[in-house]
Amino acid sequence: MPAVAASVVVRTILTDDINLAADEVIKRARAKGATGTDKSLRDTIYNVKSGLKKKGVKPAAVPAAAREIKAPTAPMVAATTPSSPSPDLTTMLANVALVNSVVGACGGAESTRKVAEAVRACGGVEAFLQHVDLVAGIRGPSA
């Protein structure tokens, strides 16, 4: 059986979904009989993608459910009272008060921004707190 031209197989796969990752395209191309090294297949994928984009092939539409932005499930601080006419305003003001105390504890807004960036870089609050515990263990009780 003759070898299947990789460019034809790759073009067929990418025409259906131009956003597929190269690894997935390679996997599907090999299943359809394409041969060659991973590097040559990757080069073919990038060339075919480029050509398809120039021809105006559009990515598949993302379903509306995947694009939907969900509201946070709970506010940072739940300081609402039943008699309050505007619980959203109360929650927002409670969060502002919390941030104000953090800015004071950190020694200013710039230090607070650095802390927020560190939390984000660590992957969230839980991961950040694990790193804080690690550093505190290394630095000792005087830190």
Side-chain angles (χ1 to χ4, degrees), residues 3-119:
V4 179
S7 61
V8 174
V9 174
V10 168
R11 183 173 281 103
T12 303
I13 294 168
L14 289 175
T15 301
D16 292 340
D17 186 359
I18 198 167
N19 290 329
L20 281 176
D23 290 334
E24 181 63 23
V25 175
I26 290 171
K27 184 174 126 185
R28 290 182 185 186
R30 291 205 191 281
K32 291 185 177 189
T35 59
T37 64
D38 280 357
K39 181 183 179 344
S40 68
L41 285 174
R42 282 183 196 283
D43 290 343
T44 301
I45 291 166
Y46 298 130
N47 290 335
V48 170
K49 268 189 182 184
S50 177
L52 289 174
K53 287 178 183 178
K54 286 179 185 175
K55 288 182 180 180
V57 173
K58 299 290 181 193
V62 177
R67 289 190 309 254
E68 189 175 307
I69 299 173
K70 300 202 185 321
T73 56
M76 283 181 58
V77 176
T80 60
T81 59
S83 62
S84 174
S86 176
D88 291 337
L89 179 61
T90 304
T91 301
M92 186 208 48
L93 291 174
N95 286 338
V96 168
L98 177 64
V99 169
N100 182 47
S101 65
V102 171
V103 168
C106 289
E110 191 56 37
S111 298
T112 306
R113 284 187 186 91
K114 289 179 182 178
V115 171
E117 286 301 319
V119 171

Side-chain angles (χ1 to χ4, degrees), residues 76 115-116 118-133:
M76 283 181 58
V115 171
V119 171
R120 182 182 297 142
C122 288
V125 175
E126 291 302 318
F128 176 76
L129 291 175
Q130 288 177 349
H131 287 88
V132 168
D133 290 342

